[in-house]
Amino acid sequence: MSKNLRALSSKKGIENNLFNKMGELSIETGTLSNEELEKLANEFLIGNANAFGVSTFYDFLKPENKGKKAYVCNGSACLCAGSQEQVQIELEKHLDSSEIGHMTCLGRCHENGAFQYKGKNYSKKSSIEISQIIKYEMMDHNDSYSVVSHSVDALTRDFEGFDFLEELIQKTLNKTSSECLQEIQDSQIRGRGGAGFPMGIKLKSAKDTPADIRYIVCNADEGDPGAYSDRYLMEKQPLMVLYGMIAAGYAMDSNWGILYIRAEYPDSAVIIQDAIDKLKELGLSGENILGSGFDFHFKIIQAQGSYICGEETALLSSIEGQRPEVRIRPPYPTQSGLFGKPTAVNNVETIAALYYIFKTSGKEYAKLGTEKSKGTKLISLDGYFHKPGIYEIEMGTSLGTVINELGGGFNAPVKAFHTGGPLGGIVPVHKINDLSVDFESFSEAGFLLGHATLVCIPEEFPMIEYLEHLFEFTAFESCGKCFPCRLGAKRGQELLTKARTEKEYQIDKELFDDLLETLEQGSLCALGGGLPLPVKNALMYFEDELKEYFKNS
């Protein structure tokens, strides 16, 4: 069935996109009417049931979203900051509770107290300021945070001007596509979205797969709570990102670059579109770029609230207008991806790094970092640091340097921090000096670097509640395709909630370990499969705190 829907969707092409149309039709009320869904089903020949199944999946399309005016962030950083209950109280002074929903996360982890009102994000606002926002919509919604390079400023340098950008694009297109691919392979850059897969291998696989059309997809659905490095790049370095897509497209013989931008980042989509329009105006994108004979077009797809769309196959299904369920691999997206065509999906930071790689060379980039983790990395520090913000460091930099020197240390007692989003490792603070920021250091120590975000868990925050939060998040965000994730995450949440709230109840440790193993071994993707890692970290390092909730068989 999914192959048939994919084929039908492809007939309309990427420009006449079903999923984007659903988003546009929901703007006024927050959802789609049955009449609108039926009309789309007839236009795209997908059937009423499929159209309804797609629209009811997403947070910001489903019927429950109707009439929502504000959304309160419930991400890990805001949860640990303890700021969101007061935000909810302040909003309910002006809005009915039925008009308030939730979002995870708004990328305001450095300030906390985050919420969205009428399509604009706010954070760290007082009661009076929230009142003014609701009444007058005049309050400045911009935020501020440190952006510092501790190494080569490959990703954090000031924009070097359109003349330089034109020269760089011309320099890139003067090479053959094979030479450009070799440049990327020479850099040894690995994906910055969490998995760490070599970008060059991915592009070569797509390039070598026979096809009449190929796609470069920028995964800008930065859903990991605590992360805002991709948001920084889209809003402060948009041309760096777009150049990277042009270079990757040329190297892969692709003429289409698609940016899948999360709904929780409304400013990002606007800024990226403005940058796309400017490139086209200057002849730096579109048909026959700089007389080279190479065409490259951009298309923005605006997400509608679903963490699972950060998984590349679910993301591709979403663009196609299907329910974003994880696909079984093989075939891999580089062989059969968007609309069944070879597709390379990379995250924003990975793509943006190509600017520096082609400005210097792949071999120069490979001189940065460690033997297996090359280049620089952006780190997102949350509001528990004296100097929260985005820091660009060379791979291999000690974690102690990041936390104590760059971040200025913690501004409150912290017992652990969660790295790389909800599926990353929970690292106790006594391990800080044992780790460096690279894939291997974290993996060998039993953690995961992931997106390289640091969400602090304060001393007073119960670890049992944090684990409950992780299971609840996974259960809510599961695509539902595989049983281990769909059922296992919910059962884990129920066990933890019962142990926390009922004094006489203790979780059978053997049963719980079996649940974690089933999630880890049986889940189709890293949502269910990755959840056990932080849970195991917590059980190992915070045994004394958690032992009252468990019993041995």
Side-chain angles (χ1 to χ4, degrees):
M1 174 64 84
S2 62
K3 289 183 179 179
N4 295 335
L5 293 173
R6 187 172 302 134
L8 288 169
S9 182
S10 69
K11 290 183 181 296
K12 293 287 186 177
I14 190 61
E15 292 184 271
N16 186 16
N17 183 259
L18 169 61
F19 184 58
N20 262 4
K21 282 196 170 186
M22 285 185 170
E24 290 164 3
L25 289 171
S26 71
I27 290 174
E28 187 174 341
T29 64
T31 189
L32 291 93
S33 67
N34 289 336
E35 292 75 22
E36 289 169 329
L37 284 171
E38 186 174 349
K39 185 176 179 180
L40 287 175
N42 291 333
E43 180 183 349
F44 285 84
L45 305 176
I46 63 170
N48 292 348
N50 289 315
F52 184 81
V54 171
S55 67
T56 55
F57 187 96
Y58 297 91
D59 291 351
F60 311 130
L61 295 181
K62 62 178 59 173
E64 296 90 327
N65 190 54
K66 186 174 182 179
K68 293 288 188 291
K69 295 180 180 178
Y71 300 87
V72 177
C73 178
N74 66 352
S76 304
C78 283
L79 173 75
C80 288
S83 56
Q84 301 312 91
E85 185 177 347
Q86 190 59 41
V87 172
Q88 181 82 25
I89 290 170
E90 294 300 333
L91 288 174
E92 287 184 4
K93 291 178 181 178
H94 309 280
L95 302 171
D96 187 82
S97 60
S98 65
E99 297 176 309
I100 304 171
H102 80 268
M103 283 186 171
T104 314
C105 114
L106 296 168
R108 298 293 185 106
C109 318
H110 54 290
E111 289 186 337
N112 307 124
F115 67 97
Q116 185 179 108
Y117 179 66
K118 291 192 174 180
K120 292 184 178 180
N121 290 349
Y122 300 90
S123 49
K124 205 177 182 179
K125 299 300 182 185
S126 67
S127 175
I128 294 174
E129 288 173 323
I130 290 175
S131 177
Q132 291 176 332
I133 290 167
I134 304 299
K135 290 179 180 178
Y136 308 114
E137 300 180 42
M138 297 291 288
M139 183 69 61
D140 181 12
H141 73 288
N142 294 313
D143 58 339
S144 62
Y145 49 87
S146 299
V147 178
V148 177
S149 173
H150 185 252
S151 175
V152 173
D153 55 350
L155 296 164
T156 52
R157 64 180 57 219
D158 293 336
F159 176 54
E160 296 176 281
F162 285 102
D163 289 342
F164 180 83
L165 181 62
E166 181 176 338
E167 290 174 13
L168 185 59
I169 292 174
Q170 186 72 73
K171 174 186 171 184
T172 304
L173 299 182
N174 283 342
K175 299 179 180 182
T176 65
S177 65
S178 295
E179 287 172 336
C180 286
L181 178 58
Q182 188 61 52
E183 204 75 69
I184 296 170
Q185 291 176 313
D186 288 344
S187 74
Q188 300 177 55
I189 184 170
R190 295 168 63 181
R192 297 324 199 216
F197 191 81
M199 185 185 196
I201 293 177
K202 189 178 285 190
L203 294 178
K204 187 176 188 306
S205 175
K207 182 185 178 78
D208 290 346
T209 301
D212 58 340
I213 186 170
R214 298 178 181 85
Y215 295 101
I216 290 286
V217 176
C218 178
N219 182 349
D221 194 42
E222 182 181 52
D224 289 337
Y228 52 102
S229 52
D230 288 353
R231 176 186 161 229
Y232 155 73
L233 289 169
M234 287 189 285
E235 295 180 7
K236 305 300 181 184
Q237 304 282 9
L239 293 163
M240 191 179 284
V241 176
L242 297 179
Y243 165 80
M245 295 188 72
I246 293 171
Y250 184 62
M252 198 184 91
D253 295 336
S254 167
N255 303 116
W256 273 100
I258 300 164
L259 298 105
Y260 188 93
I261 303 178
R262 64 194 316 251
E264 293 86 347
Y265 290 175
D267 289 345
S268 296
V270 173
I271 291 168
I272 287 288
Q273 186 61 59
D274 287 346
I276 290 171
D277 293 342
K278 186 66 177 178
L279 285 180
K280 193 163 187 179
E281 177 189 324
L282 295 173
L284 301 181
S285 73
E287 303 286 337
N288 191 25
I289 300 173
L290 297 176
S292 65
F294 175 63
D295 306 336
F296 196 78
H297 307 278
F298 291 101
K299 175 69 175 181
I300 291 176
I301 302 293
Q302 293 198 270
Q304 295 297 330
S306 174
Y307 178 78
I308 195 62
C309 289
E311 197 280 335
E312 62 177 2
T313 63
L315 183 153
L316 296 177
S317 292
S318 178
I319 296 174
E320 292 169 350
Q322 300 191 63
R323 282 176 69 90
E325 294 180 344
V326 174
R327 301 179 189 175
I328 296 172
R329 288 162 284 193
Y332 294 92
T334 56
Q335 302 161 321
S336 178
L338 184 63
F339 305 131
K341 303 297 184 179
T343 305
V345 183
N346 282 105
N347 94 312
V348 177
E349 185 178 343
T350 315
I351 289 170
L354 295 186
Y355 181 90
Y356 182 83
I357 289 169
F358 280 89
K359 179 185 175 182
T360 55
S361 71
K363 291 180 179 177
E364 280 298 309
Y365 186 85
K367 291 177 182 178
L368 301 169
T370 68
E371 181 183 356
K372 294 182 179 180
S373 298
K374 302 296 186 182
T376 65
K377 184 75 190 78
L378 296 181
I379 304 285
S380 305
L381 301 186
D382 75 358
Y384 272 101
F385 289 88
H386 283 291
K387 294 186 287 185
I390 298 293
Y391 293 88
E392 183 175 13
I393 61 167
E394 188 171 343
M395 282 283 206
T397 301
S398 71
L399 187 60
T401 297
V402 173
I403 289 174
N404 298 313
E405 182 181 329
L406 301 180
F410 304 119
N411 58 31
V414 167
K415 62 184 174 187
F417 49 89
H418 199 170
T419 63
L423 312 178
I426 291 180
V427 183
V429 290
H430 73 263
K431 284 282 187 179
I432 289 173
N433 294 325
D434 297 341
L435 297 167
S436 58
V437 181
D438 57 80
F439 297 114
E440 287 67 44
S441 175
F442 273 72
S443 178
E444 289 167 6
F447 305 114
L448 180 74
L449 178 63
H451 208 100
T453 62
L454 297 187
V455 172
C456 295
I457 305 174
E459 287 270 8
E460 74 274 7
F461 197 97
M463 189 57 73
I464 188 77
E465 289 187 22
Y466 194 78
L467 297 184
E468 192 180 343
H469 159 70
L470 295 182
F471 273 97
E472 181 182 25
F473 174 85
T474 304
F476 185 84
E477 297 293 349
S478 175
C479 77
K481 185 167 184 174
C482 69
F483 284 176
C485 179
R486 185 176 80 198
L487 300 178
K490 186 61 179 175
R491 296 293 89 84
Q493 178 202 342
E494 289 170 348
L495 288 170
L496 292 166
T497 301
K498 188 172 182 178
R500 180 178 59 83
T501 57
E502 298 182 17
K503 287 187 177 182
E504 301 302 317
Y505 179 76
Q506 288 183 304
I507 301 169
D508 185 313
K509 185 64 164 59
E510 185 178 348
L511 175 67
F512 196 73
D513 289 342
D514 186 54
L515 173 63
L516 294 178
E517 183 179 0
T518 302
L519 278 161
E520 192 169 49
Q521 300 296 325
S523 298
L524 277 176
C525 80
L527 180 56
L531 175 61
L533 176 64
V535 177
K536 288 179 178 179
N537 291 155
L539 292 171
M540 175 185 292
Y541 293 109
F542 297 93
E543 183 181 6
D544 287 345
E545 181 183 341
L546 293 169
K547 63 184 179 183
E548 66 177 286
Y549 303 105
F550 292 87
K551 67 178 180 181
N552 294 318
S553 299

